[in-house]
Amino acid sequence: MKKARLLLQDGTIFEGTSFGTEGESIGEVVFNTSMTGYQEILTDPSYCGQMITMTYPLIGNYGFSRDDDESRQSFAHGLIVREHAEYMSNWRQEISVDEWCREQGVIGISGIDTRMLTKKIRVHGTMRCLLTTGSEDITNLKEKLANAPQMRDQVARTSTKSTYIAPNNGKRVVLVDFGAKYNIQRELVERGCEVITVPYNTTAAEIRRYRPDGVLLSNGPGDPKDVPEAQQMIRELLGEIPIFGICLGHQLFALACGADTEKLKFGHRGGNHPVKELATDRTVMTSQNHSYAVKEDSIQGLPLKVSHIALNDGTVEGLEHTEYPVFSVQYHPESAPGPQDSGYLFDRFLEKIETSIRKGETVHA
């Protein structure tokens, strides 16, 4: 077995066994508390530039199936596990976690104390790290990590480079791809929508040319303040077209309206995060993956109201515009972490579209 080393920004070193591809990678170390869904996690573009620590101790036991990918490739910079399964048992299995990581160019390390690492992240926050399968001197590795530039172009890396269409007979929705998961498109197509997926830097004028009934702002990686062109596009479309924002799309909607965002200490990543909808007093279990959140005090005086809150820490999980048919959530309604509690949000989006069409308020109408 080839060895691998994980060097944290604070100088902590973990030594374990290498799997997946060989080489060296630098990123931000984060943790995910999901017990299943490792393939969907690894192919979620929102993990671009990050090293994913899985808190569940055994990863890879049911293998990988290409039908379960959530994007065209993995954008993660590393996978950190307590134990990776060398043998898999599932009727849908195609390849092992080791083979899949080799194909995707993802470096993996197993055999380390992921519980200790997770506790460290919870106490000190997410931090930069370097993962290597080489034997280079630790002093040189520390220097590399200290001098590595901060990644700021994650959205550009993960977004589609060209427009593509999923034809259908229903409502026409423009999906702005900031690093979108495939299941967002699937949820819309299942509801009869024609989905036009466009790059992250598509302008409001270009979106209007498609004469959409609605616009969906997708999830994506990184700091929302690194995508100012998207904020401008949203500002121009407010009041013209119903808009639904998910995760990064939620944060960009808030920034476009004049609110502010902040980086969380260690973020929310997992499939069991409770969120309360204030209008109904109903709590749902959600799938989440984000480092940033909307600052609640920054929306005061703006035409926004908080619609959902996280029960674990009270952070903003949803917003509604008080004048226009625009709303957003911080979590992932397209995911199914077991319960499918949040799928109704896509229906709500289509209801807002239908109402706007009846009133003659949309560009398409």
Side-chain angles (χ1 to χ4, degrees):
M1 288 287 187
K2 190 172 180 64
K3 298 297 182 182
R5 291 176 293 167
L6 176 67
L7 169 65
L8 302 187
Q9 190 175 349
D10 67 358
T12 305
I13 301 173
F14 293 88
E15 295 187 354
T17 301
S18 165
F19 67 95
T21 195
E22 297 181 6
E24 182 179 291
S25 183
I26 292 175
E28 179 185 45
V29 62
V30 299
F31 68 87
N32 187 298
T33 58
S34 297
M35 297 175 67
T36 60
Y38 50 79
Q39 180 174 350
E40 292 85 346
I41 290 166
L42 282 164
T43 54
D44 180 349
S46 295
Y47 282 105
C48 179
Q50 294 180 328
M51 306 274 191
I52 307 169
T53 304
M54 299 299 297
T55 60
Y56 191 71
L58 177 62
I59 298 299
N61 55 310
Y62 57 86
F64 282 71
S65 170
R66 287 174 176 81
D67 290 341
D68 296 333
D69 285 346
E70 281 291 346
S71 64
R72 64 184 182 274
Q73 67 180 81
S74 177
F75 294 95
H77 278 202
L79 177 60
I80 304 165
V81 300
R82 178 67 184 89
E83 179 184 352
H84 75 282
E86 297 183 45
Y87 304 100
M88 50 189 177
S89 179
N90 186 290
W91 67 275
R92 296 177 67 245
Q93 68 190 32
E94 294 178 15
I95 55 176
S96 69
V97 61
D98 176 55
E99 294 169 319
W100 188 90
C101 285
R102 286 179 189 274
E103 283 189 3
Q104 295 290 321
V106 175
I107 303 175
I109 181 171
S110 68
I112 71 168
D113 189 344
T114 51
R115 182 179 175 85
M116 172 189 168
L117 176 56
T118 301
K119 284 185 172 182
K120 180 178 283 288
I121 296 170
R122 285 185 58 87
V123 171
H124 301 289
T126 57
M127 64 185 81
R128 306 263 281 159
C129 66
L130 184 150
L131 179 58
T132 181
T133 60
S135 56
E136 191 170 354
D137 183 82
I138 194 65
T139 302
N140 294 336
L141 296 178
K142 288 181 177 179
E143 185 176 348
K144 281 185 180 180
L145 180 57
N147 295 327
Q150 188 74 34
M151 186 182 292
R152 293 290 183 187
D153 63 343
Q154 295 101 311
V155 169
R157 292 181 185 222
T158 57
S159 175
T160 181
K161 302 299 184 285
S162 59
T163 299
Y164 60 95
I165 301 174
N168 221 325
N169 296 320
K171 303 296 186 292
R172 181 179 299 165
V173 175
V174 167
L175 171 59
V176 186
D177 180 5
F178 300 112
K181 294 164 63 181
Y182 285 157
N183 219 37
I184 293 177
Q185 183 189 80
R186 294 189 194 108
E187 290 284 354
L188 292 170
V189 169
E190 285 178 5
R191 288 165 172 81
C193 295
E194 177 185 45
V195 182
I196 303 172
T197 303
V198 300
Y200 77 98
N201 54 359
T202 303
T203 66
E206 290 168 333
I207 289 175
R208 289 189 192 103
R209 292 193 195 107
Y210 293 111
R211 299 177 63 80
D213 296 309
V215 172
L216 198 152
L217 311 172
S218 85
N219 66 291
D223 187 341
K225 293 177 182 176
D226 290 338
V227 201
E229 57 268 63
Q231 298 171 42
Q232 179 61 33
M233 174 270 292
I234 296 166
R235 273 192 291 270
E236 292 182 32
L237 293 180
L238 284 174
E240 293 185 14
I241 308 170
I243 299 175
F244 177 24
I246 294 175
C247 200
L248 182 65
H250 157 81
Q251 298 161 11
L252 289 168
F253 162 53
L255 290 173
C257 292
D260 196 12
T261 56
E262 63 183 343
K263 188 170 186 180
L264 299 171
K265 186 176 182 180
F266 48 82
H268 298 168
R269 296 175 182 86
N272 59 347
H273 289 252
V275 169
K276 183 178 181 180
E277 184 175 36
L278 300 182
T280 62
D281 206 32
R282 177 181 176 226
T283 296
V284 297
M285 300 304 292
T286 68
S287 174
Q288 304 207 7
N289 173 22
H290 58 272
S291 297
Y292 292 82
V294 176
K295 298 172 70 172
E296 185 172 4
D297 59 2
S298 74
I299 74 169
Q300 298 198 7
L302 299 175
L304 298 173
K305 67 176 182 179
V306 176
S307 59
H308 299 73
I309 60 168
L311 292 183
N312 286 340
D313 61 8
T315 53
V316 175
E317 287 284 344
L319 291 171
E320 289 184 11
H321 201 284
T322 57
E323 300 173 14
Y324 306 132
V326 182
F327 70 105
S328 63
V329 290
Q330 180 62 79
Y331 54 95
H332 288 266
E334 81 284 354
S335 292
Q340 299 182 355
D341 298 0
S342 304
Y344 74 95
L345 291 169
F346 290 98
D347 298 321
R348 180 176 295 177
F349 178 44
L350 294 182
E351 288 168 5
K352 288 185 179 293
I353 289 175
E354 186 61 40
T355 299
S356 294
I357 290 175
R358 286 200 303 268
K359 292 180 178 180
E361 294 175 346
T362 67
V363 174
H364 193 195

